[in-house]
Amino acid sequence: MNSRHIMAAFPPTADAQVTLANWRQHPFSEWAFRNVRELLPTANIARSREPTSLSFAQAYLEDVAFANPRGETIDVGEALRTSHTDGFVVSHRGRIVAEWYAHGLTPDAPHLIFSVSKSIAGTLAGILVDRGKLDPDAPVTQYIPEMRGSVYGDGCTVRHLLDMSVGIHFDEDYMAREGDVINYRRSTGWEPFDATVPPTHLRQYLQTLRPDGKPHGHAFHYVSTNTDVLGWVYERACGMSYARIVSHYLWEPMGAEHDAYITVDSRGAARVAGGICATVRDLARFGEMMRNHGVSNGRQVVPSRWIHDIRHNGNAEAWSRGDLTKVFPNGNYRSKWYTIERGQTPFAAIGIHGQWVYIDPANETVIARVSSQALPMDLDLDHMWLRGYRAIASRLSGKA
């Protein structure tokens, strides 16, 4: 199927129709990831009334070279064209130096960012802690008594949610066609209706999850439901919907230029773990704020100490016992953010299908990339682009 024919007729032919059965499959995803609102119910995340202005200083980066998965030399231009990249923005010292779009995406069109959404949630925690609305060491049941009897009710704290160290029985296998991930997605509305399965909704499903026998805090175990519970904690702490929380405490004060939005289930519960859609420029604004110690347009939006904690803390032993050491062998995870290499400055927000916000404070560089990569996790492509991000940062800092 040629992606240009997808959803192009009125009505589309059967083989060009995007549905809940195929929307995360390539090439349908090229259309779906920038048109999520036409597939799923959503809640709006309002933009700022005073957007942070962008400045531009064009730099030629298409010839920056690095190794592809076969060990051959590739440059940025070819990598963009051959890796299903939909949007790409590079910022250096606060100015946009490169911008690139494909597959129908435009600067003002939101794109699904999958688990970059988690890093937004982790950033919000610092703001809510600073406002006295959230205690990261409190038990989850202090905010959600309904979690008693689930894995989240037996000694599980907000910090365990933030750091993905819940001792939960859950297999986050994105390629599975049955089991945990399918049941979870079905509760969020991301899967087609199945008449053979009793209907459920997200908050109901979260209360059914059980422990794996390991103590909370022992190991990094990447499970998306932890972040959905975290969002529910925020709602109880703030007395407002998650979409409103994102807008009020982050999107508006950060100076976002465009509305974002988030998918919701049949009861209006937000898919906090992976349902936000945002423009690439606003992702670059978000990354620049994080690079700048939480300051955007002269305003302290996120406490600098929270960002310092993200970059310098985290449990290396828990990471080493975890399930993503093949991605970053010497990495770390703190408050929904990845440290790429312990002892080095880059940190990142990462989502499946190729979504990134890469921040390199030492080289004063931020790179936001959205994609419709065919595989949810493609380590060859992700590691290729990680080499590319490093090469771009080196070029911009004059080290290459």
Side-chain angles (χ1 to χ4, degrees):
M1 164 65 64
N2 188 316
S3 62
R4 288 178 296 180
H5 297 152
I6 292 173
M7 300 295 285
F10 305 95
T13 58
D15 63 344
Q17 177 75 52
V18 178
T19 70
L20 288 182
N22 66 17
W23 72 285
R24 297 186 310 277
Q25 301 169 14
H26 196 269
F28 303 100
S29 56
E30 288 185 1
W31 183 91
F33 290 176
R34 59 182 171 84
N35 289 285
V36 173
R37 257 190 172 147
E38 297 190 35
L39 297 164
L40 293 162
T42 63
N44 199 58
I45 298 171
R47 64 187 181 276
S48 175
R49 289 164 291 182
E50 298 179 0
T52 301
S53 61
L54 298 175
S55 60
F56 296 81
Q58 191 70 28
Y60 185 74
L61 300 177
E62 289 204 8
D63 64 342
V64 173
F66 47 97
N68 71 10
R70 297 182 298 278
E72 303 161 346
T73 298
I74 192 172
D75 60 33
V76 168
E78 184 180 358
L80 289 170
R81 292 187 294 271
T82 60
S83 65
H84 307 299
T85 297
D86 300 323
F88 188 72
V89 172
V90 180
S91 172
H92 184 240
R93 296 176 179 170
R95 297 192 293 179
I96 291 179
V97 296
E99 190 171 24
W100 189 90
Y101 297 93
H103 311 133
L105 193 67
T106 58
D108 60 351
H111 188 285
L112 183 60
I113 60 174
F114 286 100
S115 290
V116 173
S117 306
K118 292 182 175 70
S119 300
I120 289 174
T123 303
L124 275 169
I127 301 170
L128 298 181
V129 169
D130 189 61
R131 301 289 183 92
K133 293 184 174 293
L134 182 72
D135 178 0
D137 298 316
V140 170
T141 52
Q142 178 175 310
Y143 299 95
I144 315 174
E146 298 95 319
M147 283 302 184
R148 294 191 183 99
S150 78
V151 64
Y152 299 109
D154 185 15
C156 182
T157 67
V158 174
R159 173 51 66 189
H160 294 136
L161 301 177
L162 283 163
D163 291 351
M164 290 289 189
S165 59
V166 178
I168 184 173
H169 184 275
F170 194 99
D171 181 13
E172 188 130 342
D173 178 0
Y174 301 116
M175 303 301 289
R177 294 312 308 157
E178 59 182 16
D180 292 334
V181 168
I182 294 300
N183 293 335
Y184 165 53
R185 284 177 176 160
R186 189 174 288 121
S187 77
T188 69
W190 280 37
E191 287 287 321
F193 175 73
D194 185 343
T196 68
V197 178
T200 186
H201 55 86
L202 179 58
R203 295 188 184 108
Q204 181 183 51
Y205 174 73
L206 295 174
Q207 295 173 61
T208 70
L209 298 173
R210 296 294 178 257
D212 63 0
K214 297 176 183 176
H216 300 311
H218 176 73
F220 171 83
H221 181 26
Y222 189 93
V223 174
S224 285
T225 59
N226 297 339
T227 312
D228 294 301
V229 174
L230 185 67
W232 191 1
V233 166
Y234 294 175
E235 290 177 325
R236 288 286 174 83
C238 297
M240 63 178 75
S241 72
Y242 185 73
R244 176 63 182 145
I245 291 167
V246 177
S247 175
H248 180 73
Y249 288 104
L250 181 61
W251 221 239
E252 197 282 331
M254 181 187 78
E257 182 180 5
H258 300 100
D259 287 355
Y261 60 88
I262 188 167
T263 70
V264 296
D265 75 349
S266 61
R267 303 292 180 89
R271 177 96 191 267
V272 178
I276 289 179
C277 300
T279 67
V280 192
R281 284 185 175 180
D282 281 336
L283 290 181
R285 284 181 170 91
F286 175 57
E288 177 62 17
M289 177 193 66
M290 297 297 288
R291 184 191 75 83
N292 202 31
H293 311 288
V295 175
S296 182
N297 201 29
R299 179 177 183 177
Q300 191 77 50
V301 179
V302 184
S304 60
R305 62 181 176 275
W306 189 259
I307 298 173
H308 184 275
D309 182 76
I310 286 170
R311 292 182 53 200
H312 299 285
N313 289 324
N315 189 329
E317 290 186 3
W319 177 268
S320 70
R321 300 185 190 106
D323 42 19
L324 288 183
T325 54
K326 62 184 177 180
V327 182
F328 303 130
N330 298 305
N332 219 334
Y333 192 83
R334 184 69 165 174
S335 298
K336 309 294 180 186
W337 287 86
Y338 294 91
T339 294
I340 307 297
E341 183 83 22
R342 291 191 293 273
Q344 298 183 13
T345 66
F347 63 112
I350 306 171
I352 58 172
H353 295 285
Q355 326 310 318
W356 281 78
V357 178
Y358 175 87
I359 304 166
D360 184 347
N363 289 311
E364 302 173 284
T365 299
V366 172
I367 301 173
R369 175 175 171 263
V370 296
S371 168
S372 49
Q373 286 177 195
L375 295 176
M377 290 188 68
D378 190 326
L379 293 187
D380 286 341
L381 274 183
D382 285 338
H383 285 157
M384 179 193 81
W385 269 112
L386 185 55
R387 292 189 291 271
Y389 303 149
R390 288 167 171 159
I392 290 168
S394 293
R395 165 73 69 84
L396 289 171
S397 65
K399 298 175 183 177

